[in-house]
Amino acid sequence: MNILKLLANLAETNPEQLEQSAPRRAALESLGRFSAKALAAALPFGLATLPAQARTTLTILDSLDLALQLERLQEALYSRALAVTGTFFPADPTFRASVVAMQRHQQQHIVLLTDAIVSSGSTASAPANYDFTGTKNGTQPALFADVFTDFDQFLRLAQLLEDAGVRAYKGQVEYLSTNDFILQTALQLHATEARHAARIRVMRKQRGATVKPWPSPTDTSITVAGKTDIAYAGEDALQQYLPDFRPVPFQLLPVGFPGSTVLTQGVPEAFDEPLTLVQATALLALFTY
Amino acid sequence: MHDNSFLARTLHRRSFFRVAGAGAAASALVLAGCAKEDTITPVPTNQQLVIGKADSVNFTVLNYAYLLEQLEAAFYDKVVTTPPADLLPGELAYLTDLRDHEFIHREYLKFALGSNAYDASFVTQFVFDFSSLTLTTRQGVWTAAQKLEDIGVAAYNGVAKHITTTGYLNMLAKLASVEARHAALAHEVLQAGSWAAPIGATGLDAAKTPIEVVALIQPFVPIEISTAYLPTT
């Protein structure tokens, strides 16, 4: 198949003709009704009128579903950790309290996202089965064999999933841009995830790990090549580009200080990078079966 | 008052900075080049800092983000240059990282804006005013950092929806979560477990409109910030 011919064919296709099944279309049309519920009270602004072009809006539902799956995964991780009896959590009571708060936030996010999906007339996907050791129910070697007995291992997985959650939301925002209400809500969820990630990282640092509150090239790696490393793929980018593809010449801009490592550490730290839906889904798959 | 300060200069140039939008300021600059500075008679007008442009919501939002990043950069620069004596071990390293990140954010947005930066034609940059903050103690410094970072997070959350191109939206999103990480850290260093302070009952971090944010940052900006072109929602 000639790729250029394929692209030409795609370019000639009217996006309206790419609409999918009738139930999906109906769901989209009613997505606009999703402000009357709980969210409206929390966020005092109205829904933007949905554009007629359905293709973009279908992606909104796909984005919401990805977010829901990630939030459920995180909620289950915290829920199981909090259910562990004995001395799993350290003596510092703020550690457990922080995980309690994070679990509560994830529950709230699940309610919010499910409401958004259901209010639109669509159906939330079924919850998956989770295996946080990463063995996929005993069918492959473990990634986090002692996740609920070794608190540091639990924190490493929590960091991985929170950082990836931030990146996954970031990867979806551009597909939400046709709906101001959903876009803003997603960014607020995104910021909450970033606070979670920073707190988890600070907890790890307090327990002796080499890690900063933001992903840094100086962090000790917590990933397995070919598996969990997808969570940080591209995160340490040394280069940023403008929308017109011009690189930002940080080496020529007044960002540096004598003797500092601003170009090799500061720049990658200063930007959180997006994950695509495919990358985020691959990460989810490591802990679901 | 220092001779280089914006206000000192503008006593002479006041009439040229009534509108600081790039186009207007650029033409003012041409005029300034033609006239002898000393002969300019100060005009008692209400001088304003005009952020953005009437004809481009994207450049308006980017300028708004740029002003916020300038503010944070100036804050950490001042703190790192003259740190409080009672910082705990590791805190100066954190503050230095924060300074570096904010300098990078500032220059990133400034480069993206180019001649559309609200201050692209300023002869002298104004100096932020941190006199309302206590920067001689770690408590004061981190309390101020919490405030500025929480404002930054809420500002990005509230304004990004006005961006009309996905390229610029993605640019801001890359910065927004780093600000949230900064905010969480600034809370944690003073009180363990306080990272979630601005998160509301539905699990959402805060969002503020540009008008709300301008009111919060005005004390640090020595010129009245005009909200004329900023989105109202």
Side-chain angles (χ1 to χ4, degrees):
Chain A
M1 179 72 189
N2 183 336
I3 185 73
L4 292 174
K5 188 166 182 294
L6 175 65
L7 289 171
N9 288 343
L10 282 172
E12 284 167 11
T13 307
N14 183 340
E16 299 285 347
Q17 292 167 357
L18 293 177
E19 283 189 44
Q20 296 174 19
S21 65
R24 290 284 269 177
R25 198 177 311 133
L28 294 173
E29 283 160 8
S30 55
L31 190 59
R33 291 198 281 273
F34 158 62
S35 65
K37 305 194 75 175
L39 284 178
L43 294 164
F45 54 89
L47 263 178
T49 309
L50 281 175
Q53 200 182 61
R55 196 164 164 239
T56 308
T57 327
L58 279 172
T59 313
I60 290 184
L61 280 172
D62 293 338
S63 299
L64 294 176
D65 188 64
L66 173 68
L68 177 63
Q69 293 185 54
L70 284 164
E71 297 282 3
R72 281 176 176 157
L73 181 73
Q74 292 173 332
E75 194 280 332
L77 174 68
Y78 297 140
S79 177
R80 290 185 197 182
L82 291 168
V84 174
T85 52
T87 56
F88 177 56
F89 280 89
D92 180 344
T94 69
F95 279 42
R96 188 183 171 93
S98 286
V99 174
V100 167
M102 289 179 204
Q103 189 219 8
R104 187 176 64 246
H105 294 154
Q106 312 296 17
Q107 286 175 336
Q108 291 161 342
H109 296 176
I110 290 167
V111 169
L112 188 155
L113 290 163
T114 306
D115 259 10
I117 292 168
V118 172
S119 301
S120 75
S122 188
T123 311
S125 57
N129 295 311
Y130 303 114
D131 178 351
F132 291 105
T133 65
T135 70
K136 292 179 91 74
N137 202 27
T139 60
Q140 62 182 42
L143 297 166
F144 295 88
D146 304 316
V147 61
F148 295 122
T149 50
D150 174 350
F151 191 71
D152 291 309
Q153 208 170 98
F154 162 74
L155 286 181
R156 286 198 290 277
L157 178 55
Q159 178 191 312
L160 188 88
L161 296 183
E162 293 287 1
D163 283 337
V166 173
R167 300 189 64 191
Y169 271 108
K170 199 185 314 295
Q172 293 305 304
V173 292
E174 67 177 271
Y175 303 110
L176 307 176
S177 60
T178 53
N179 187 313
D180 285 358
F181 181 74
I182 300 228
L183 173 60
Q184 176 167 325
T185 303
L187 284 165
Q188 290 176 276
L189 292 165
H190 170 248
T192 297
E193 298 294 309
R195 284 187 196 256
H196 288 184
R199 171 58 172 151
I200 296 279
R201 285 167 163 271
V202 168
M203 287 196 277
R204 289 192 61 228
K205 185 173 174 67
Q206 287 168 346
R207 291 175 61 80
T210 301
V211 65
K212 291 184 178 185
W214 38 82
S216 169
T218 63
D219 290 348
T220 300
S221 172
I222 60 167
T223 60
V224 175
K227 296 278 188 184
T228 49
D229 60 349
I230 200 164
Y232 294 103
E235 178 56 42
D236 283 343
L238 294 171
Q239 187 67 68
Q240 294 294 326
Y241 297 88
L242 299 185
D244 63 6
F245 306 111
R246 276 183 301 155
V248 180
F250 288 113
Q251 71 280 5
L252 302 178
L253 301 176
V255 297
F257 295 86
S260 83
T261 50
V262 72
L263 292 177
T264 53
Q265 285 181 28
V267 168
E269 289 176 7
F271 301 91
D272 277 346
E273 302 292 334
L275 275 186
T276 65
L277 186 141
V278 170
Q279 289 172 312
T281 304
L283 184 69
L284 269 164
L286 293 174
F287 302 101
T288 56
Y289 65 92
Chain B
M1 185 178 289
H2 194 281
D3 280 342
N4 269 342
S5 81
F6 181 85
L7 288 178
R9 295 281 295 191
T10 51
L11 286 177
H12 300 290
R13 296 179 171 273
R14 186 181 296 248
S15 60
F16 289 141
F17 281 90
R18 290 174 61 189
V19 178
S27 51
L29 193 64
V30 175
L31 288 174
C34 298
K36 282 185 180 175
E37 196 173 309
D38 291 346
T39 64
I40 298 168
T41 307
V43 180
T45 54
N46 287 328
Q47 191 182 345
Q48 287 193 324
L49 199 62
V50 179
I51 303 301
K53 313 174 101 176
D55 59 352
S56 171
V57 69
N58 289 332
F59 286 136
T60 298
V61 172
L62 287 183
N63 266 301
Y64 168 66
Y66 173 49
L67 176 66
L68 289 166
E69 297 291 354
Q70 284 180 308
L71 170 63
E72 291 182 323
F75 168 75
Y76 290 115
D77 193 30
K78 184 177 176 69
V79 168
V80 170
T81 303
T82 318
D86 63 343
L87 284 182
L88 298 179
E91 291 188 342
L92 185 59
Y94 273 148
L95 290 164
T96 305
D97 279 356
L98 294 167
R99 176 200 64 183
D100 289 353
H101 299 172
E102 305 300 5
F103 269 64
I104 290 163
H105 289 177
R106 182 193 69 197
E107 294 304 317
Y108 173 67
L109 290 167
K110 184 177 182 178
F111 183 75
L113 282 161
S115 62
N116 293 299
Y118 77 89
D119 59 358
S121 302
F122 281 20
V123 174
T124 307
Q125 182 56 273
F126 63 84
V127 176
F128 287 100
D129 177 2
F130 297 115
S131 60
S132 60
L133 303 174
T134 302
L135 301 183
T136 49
T137 64
R138 66 177 289 273
Q139 177 80 31
V141 161
W142 286 114
T143 301
Q146 284 176 12
K147 180 185 172 85
L148 291 176
E149 298 288 359
D150 284 342
I151 290 172
V153 173
Y156 279 115
N157 285 346
V159 83
K161 63 178 180 279
H162 296 292
I163 291 276
T164 60
T165 66
T166 54
Y168 287 135
L169 177 60
N170 288 336
M171 275 183 64
L172 295 191
K174 286 184 177 209
L175 309 183
S177 57
V178 175
E179 299 298 334
R181 292 173 183 273
H182 290 176
L185 172 67
H187 283 275
E188 283 302 298
V189 291
L190 283 189
Q191 189 186 343
S194 66
W195 52 275
I199 297 177
T202 54
L204 299 181
D205 209 329
K208 292 188 190 302
T209 66
I211 309 293
E212 292 172 320
V213 168
V214 163
L216 292 170
I217 67 170
Q218 184 66 71
F220 310 117
V221 180
I223 308 156
E224 185 189 349
I225 303 168
S226 165
T227 55
Y229 300 140
L230 293 173
T232 54
T233 58

